[in-house]
Amino acid sequence: MMTATTYWTSVDSPVGPLLLTAAPTGELTSLSVPGQKGGRTVRDDWRPDPGPFREAARQLAAYFAGDLEEFRLAVRTAGTPFREKVWDALDAVPYGATVSYGEIAARIGAPRAAVRAVGGAIGANPLLIVRPCHRVIGADGSLTGYAGGLERKVRLLTHEGVLPTPP
């Protein structure tokens, strides 16, 4: 069976190097950080090529420079219908705002008891930063888990003005 080529590149950022992958048609398929829980690592059959990532790199640089609040990139991710609903809800959380896991569950019409499943879907988000799972916090305002590490979550939320800049 012939598998489609996966293209990849690495982009420097204030939260460390970002590993980006794309489909042969150019859609962004993942964005991972070193040490990420469930993150991707370069495989031998992937093709290094910065070409498909020029727009993603430009938008990420603009985001970290404080000049971009909403990513507009062609993306392609594969998940269960439930995960896709959760990820769509994440895409709707605006820059500088946070929501709780329970709020995401309510937005997709899932029962309160589905909060754990929502958390699992958020943790499986293959597009860190671009799909803003860092904007999801605990119901009590606590900065609960983040696949990219809590330090990165704090840096991203500080960058977006949600958290105060440390003295």
Side-chain angles (χ1 to χ4, degrees):
M1 183 174 111
M2 184 82 176
T3 57
T5 302
T6 296
Y7 295 91
W8 72 274
T9 197
S10 183
V11 174
D12 288 331
S13 85
V15 295
L18 307 176
L19 172 64
L20 283 68
T21 63
T25 47
E27 297 101 333
L28 191 64
T29 55
S30 73
L31 189 159
S32 301
V33 295
Q36 175 183 333
K37 182 181 165 200
R40 301 190 82 180
T41 52
V42 177
R43 294 183 13 190
D44 291 340
D45 60 339
W46 290 2
R47 182 182 292 166
D49 182 355
F53 304 99
R54 284 191 184 93
E55 184 58 17
R58 186 192 70 72
Q59 289 189 34
L60 284 160
Y63 168 80
F64 285 113
D67 298 329
L68 181 85
E69 295 184 355
E70 186 178 342
F71 292 97
R72 296 193 185 280
L73 295 168
V75 299
R76 183 197 307 172
T77 54
T80 64
F82 179 81
R83 282 184 174 179
E84 294 285 349
K85 279 170 63 174
V86 170
W87 296 342
D88 287 345
L90 285 178
D91 288 337
V93 179
Y95 181 96
T98 58
V99 297
S100 70
Y101 293 89
E103 288 172 297
I104 293 287
R107 287 181 185 190
I108 66 166
R112 187 95 190 114
V115 169
R116 277 191 181 282
V118 166
I122 291 169
N125 170 22
L127 291 169
L128 292 194
I129 304 168
V130 170
R131 179 176 289 141
C133 53
H134 59 276
R135 297 178 188 153
V136 182
I137 61 173
D140 61 359
S142 62
L143 300 182
T144 55
Y146 179 60
L150 230 39
E151 327 70 51
R152 283 191 186 97
K153 183 172 190 158
V154 167
R155 289 189 69 180
L156 292 167
L157 291 174
T158 301
H159 169 72
E160 293 187 10
V162 172
L163 298 175
T165 305

